[in-house]
Amino acid sequence: MEKKFLKDALPRFYEDVEATLKCDRPDLLSQLPHLYITARCSCADEDCRSFTCESNDPRYAPVGGRRPLSYPIARVDGNYSVSSDGVLSGFEILSDYWDNSLDRDLTAAGFPASQG
């Protein structure tokens, strides 16, 4: 499967995360353009829009044992996860935008909701 980068697959969400990082964690901004979606949460909660990411930048490649911490995202009911060594690793989204655009865009990018 072709990599689905956040900026392309979820442009509205990307802008909200970018705005949040500019205020809260500008040190993480350089990672954002390199993130691509690897999987969607399979919890079957109808409101869940959570997903995991990886980076195409080898400096931020997945390493076993990373323990993510979560921080809130402005204008979104959810959090971004950062490992203890400062790597963006995923997003826990508790509910979608009013127009359901996260679900629609995740599905269009090849990551449909779990059917339970």
Side-chain angles (χ1 to χ4, degrees), residues 44-87:
D45 179 328
E46 67 181 50
D47 292 325
C48 180
R49 301 296 184 259
S50 302
F51 56 95
T52 55
C53 296
E54 288 184 11
S55 177
N56 70 344
D57 185 325
R59 294 175 296 171
Y60 307 112
V63 173
R66 286 189 169 143
R67 297 179 54 157
L69 301 173
S70 295
Y71 303 92
I73 302 168
R75 298 188 297 267
V76 178
D77 183 16
N79 302 298
Y80 61 95
S81 299
V82 180
S83 66
S84 58
D85 57 347
V87 174

